[in-house]
Amino acid sequence: MGTRTRSEKILLLVFVLLCGYFAIGVFPLAPVFGDGIDTANGATEMARNGIGPTPVAYRFSQAPGVYAALVILHKVTGADTHNIFLTLSALAALILILVSALFIARLTGAPLGLARIVILHFQESTAVGYYANSNILAGAAFAAGLYMTAKPPERWLGLLWPGVLFGLAAFFRVDALLLTPVVVPLLYRGHLRDLVERTLTMGLVT
């Protein structure tokens, strides 16, 4: 990795300052979204009685991975499930921004620093991190999968990790699978048969 140019350093500084500004909306951690509150309450109950549907939980079948993550982290750290969910959502928003910038830079050749700043100014990329929700957890995992798929490696084993990430996205929120058709063009490298084989392989992993 070479030394950053002056312009790259300026773009990085601007990005860091903007992140600090937008992060103001994250604090103080406070449960304000009804669905997120019900999810955290459901996870608290599951920590006592086992992971599974409960009258308190919000649509367990739609986001079982979120409940599993909250229960595990609650048992490991002892932290309140609401605070865990809020923190995970904020961190996932940051991951989504960073990975999406990498994806765009890889796909288009745009400067990475500029891509970060542009994505940061899309309202959904920041606002979705201000409250506890499953969308951003699934989005971060899916974006990471897209980044790894943008230039698929020659070896078939390289398709494993993107498939795992897409599967994780669906585990966090099942309707993330609706986005999977956008993956197919990224796998095309000039041969239709190869595209079909790669798509089937990744689909099976997912």
Side-chain angles (χ1 to χ4, degrees):
M1 181 181 295
T3 304
R4 287 192 178 93
T5 64
R6 183 179 180 184
S7 61
E8 289 173 336
K9 291 178 181 178
I10 292 174
L11 288 173
L12 178 59
L13 177 61
V14 171
F15 174 73
V16 171
L17 291 175
L18 285 172
C19 280
Y21 169 74
F22 285 116
I24 295 174
V26 175
F27 304 100
L29 296 176
V32 295
F33 183 52
D35 295 347
I37 292 172
D38 290 343
T39 299
N41 288 337
T44 300
E45 184 175 338
M46 291 177 200
R48 294 191 298 263
N49 304 320
I51 298 176
T54 72
V56 177
Y58 173 78
R59 296 185 179 181
F60 172 81
S61 61
Q62 187 180 52
V66 173
Y67 286 100
L70 293 179
V71 170
I72 292 171
L73 289 173
H74 172 67
K75 289 186 174 182
V76 170
T77 66
D80 179 74
T81 53
H82 294 88
N83 289 335
I84 293 173
F85 201 3
L86 288 162
T87 302
L88 285 178
S89 297
L91 290 175
L94 178 59
I95 292 172
L96 176 66
I97 292 167
L98 294 174
V99 174
S100 296
L102 287 169
F103 172 67
I104 290 176
R106 169 174 283 188
L107 200 64
T108 67
L112 177 59
L114 182 60
R116 290 191 192 115
I117 293 173
V118 170
I119 292 173
L120 194 60
H121 280 80
F122 281 91
Q123 183 180 5
E124 277 300 314
S125 66
T126 53
V128 76
Y130 291 162
Y131 61 97
N133 66 98
S134 58
N135 290 329
I136 189 58
L137 300 183
F142 197 90
L146 284 180
Y147 167 65
M148 296 186 70
T149 308
K151 286 188 178 179
E154 294 302 320
R155 295 184 178 181
W156 291 98
L157 187 60
L159 298 174
L160 173 65
W161 299 115
V164 169
L165 288 167
F166 293 139
L168 182 62
F171 190 42
F172 283 145
R173 191 173 176 94
V174 68
D175 51 6
L177 291 173
L178 295 174
L179 299 174
T180 52
V182 304
V183 178
V184 177
L186 296 175
L187 294 172
Y188 183 66
R189 288 297 182 271
H191 301 285
L192 184 59
R193 180 178 177 180
D194 183 62
L195 171 64
V196 172
E197 291 176 349
R198 287 178 178 271
T199 302
L200 290 175
T201 300
M202 187 173 291
L204 289 172
V205 173
T206 302

